Amino acid sequence: MKGISTNRSLTNVIVAIFLLIFGALISDSRINSGLKNDVLGTDTTLYTVTSIVDGDTLKVTDSVDIYTVRLIGIDTPETKDPRKDVECFGVEATLHLTKLVENQKLILKSDSTQDDIDRYGRLLRYAFLVNGTNVNKTMIEDGFAYEYTYSKPYYYQNEFIDAQNSARIERLGLWGGNCD
């Protein structure tokens, strides 16, 4: 009888160890696969674009309120700054953003590494089309925006830098030599 009890105890210990290891592996994979959601949040509210302010700022509505959104990680030449002349390629950047998002539904994602609102009261967000296209990154990839780090690294920083390097090598948009 004592031998059976020892075998059961040993079996229980082995099963417990197996469950601990298996649970740790599952938990670790959930943490790694959920990293983007931890940084970017899980909100999937759809917003309708109401207007384009310029190449890095737009207005959206959730059918209740209208929000001004400044796109994280990008900067485009100025078209609306009253202290500056319209900058080279600013109009083109604004038109490109318009083509990308006009009459589209967007999913906006905040980034926990960045402020929620900038000093002008604009929401700081990544904008995604319903098909998953990252609008911020597309603006850089297509050569209509510069990668822009305001004060601290952001979630997509390396991807955006790579996109800018590719656009520069391919001499797209801003890198095409029209604004030297």
Side-chain angles (χ1 to χ4, degrees), residues 117-132:
I117 298 173
D118 72 4
R119 64 184 176 180
Y120 303 108
R122 301 175 297 189
L123 297 175
L124 297 172
R125 298 291 187 269
Y126 300 105
F128 293 88
L129 298 177
V130 176
N131 69 8

Side-chain angles (χ1 to χ4, degrees), residues 6-149:
T6 302
N7 285 342
R8 266 196 203 142
S9 294
L10 182 58
T11 301
N12 288 343
V13 169
I14 291 171
V15 167
I17 290 171
F18 173 78
L19 291 174
L20 283 172
I21 292 171
F22 184 72
L25 290 173
I26 288 175
S27 174
D28 188 50
S29 71
R30 284 186 185 153
I31 289 169
N32 289 333
S33 68
L35 177 62
K36 197 176 277 192
N37 285 338
D38 289 342
V39 174
L40 302 180
T42 56
D43 186 13
T44 57
T45 301
L46 291 177
Y47 296 86
T48 303
V49 176
T50 60
S51 64
I52 306 302
V53 176
D54 63 17
D56 53 36
T57 307
L58 53 109
K59 293 188 182 232
V60 300
T61 184
D62 60 2
S63 76
V64 176
D65 293 308
I66 294 177
Y67 306 94
T68 303
V69 178
R70 172 64 164 82
L71 299 175
I72 297 172
I74 74 170
D75 192 29
T76 60
E78 292 298 332
T79 61
K80 303 284 185 180
D81 189 331
R83 300 165 296 168
K84 297 180 180 180
D85 290 333
V86 172
E87 295 177 333
C88 183
F89 227 73
V91 171
E92 292 85 347
T94 301
L95 289 173
H96 193 67
L97 181 61
T98 301
K99 287 178 190 173
L100 283 173
V101 301
E102 191 173 46
N103 301 316
Q104 296 284 332
K105 299 281 188 186
L106 298 177
I107 298 169
L108 300 177
K109 295 289 185 179
S110 61
D111 184 331
S112 64
T113 69
Q114 305 299 300
D115 291 334
D116 192 49
I117 298 173
D118 72 4
R119 64 184 176 180
Y120 303 108
R122 301 175 297 189
L123 297 175
L124 297 172
R125 298 291 187 269
Y126 300 105
F128 293 88
L129 298 177
V130 176
N131 69 8
T133 299
N134 182 326
V135 172
N136 310 42
K137 183 179 177 184
T138 300
M139 288 292 291
I140 298 171
E141 284 175 330
D142 294 348
F144 290 91
Y146 302 98
E147 181 281 328
Y148 178 69
T149 303

